[in-house]
Structures are given as C-alpha cells and as structure tokens.
Amino acid sequence: MLQPEKTKYRKQQKGRIRGLASRGCNLAFGDYGLQAIGHGWVSARQIEAGRMAMTHATKRGGKLWVRIFPDKPLTKKPTETRMGRGKGAPEMWVACVQRGKMLFEIKGVDRETAIHSLRLASHKMPVKTVIVERGVTREAR
C-alpha cells in the first residue's frame, strides 16, 4: 500500500475538498488519462486496485503513471467505544481529489487497450471520472 514514509504530524483534520484542481489536471506523461470530474477521497487500497486492474488489462505492456498519492491519514475510533477520550488512531491513508485532477496516465499501448484498462480502473474509483486523450478536447468527443 502507498503511504508516506514519515509525516510531521500523526493526525490531520478532515478539511473540505472544494473547487477545481489547478495543478495535475492535464496530460503530462501519457497519451491517455483518467480524469476526475467529481471530488472526494481515494484510499490507498482503491489506488492500488486501479493500478493492478490496469497492469493486468495491458498485460504489463506500455508505461503507467499514478498521478495521485495518499498523504492524508484518516483516523477511526474502535467500535463500541464511548464518545470522548480524544481522537482515534490513524486507520488508513487517502488522497484528496479535486474536480479535474488526473488520476492515471498510460502510454505505449494501442487506443482500445488503453481505454479498456482505464475503464476498468474507473470502476475501482469512488469519484466520477472521464477518459481523456492527448489532442482531443472533451467537447469534441
């Protein structure tokens, strides 16, 4: 699973995910990409499931980039625990995804394989996504 090697603080507040992504919203490495059109948290398990689905669909061909990293710890209190007594222990790591953020990119495979693998990865994601191509605008599709 993806997680930071070390952080300055063990626990973080939840915060809010608002607005459009201004960084990481264009195709930078590959020819095809999976772009978020919704916002939310993507856990490290979901990122890994999407990556595995893509590598399996491409039969380990081409090059794959994961453009998000889970750097936010989510805490959880044990079940059947009374309220109070502080914040719970860190349970999992998530990546905050804004609208427009590029999640995955792929290059080096034909168009049908790339779109098929990105569609499989999109089924693993908790946010709404769209598949984008280099040189094709969203309105033209």
Side-chain angles (χ1 to χ4, degrees), residues 20-58:
L20 296 170
S22 57
R23 298 171 49 167
C25 52
N26 297 321
L27 284 171
F29 306 104
D31 295 330
Y32 303 93
L34 190 67
Q35 188 176 32
I37 55 173
H39 62 272
W41 288 335
V42 181
S43 73
R45 285 177 180 269
Q46 290 163 338
I47 295 169
E48 182 66 13
R51 186 196 66 77
M52 285 173 55
M54 287 183 70
T55 53
H56 183 75
T58 57

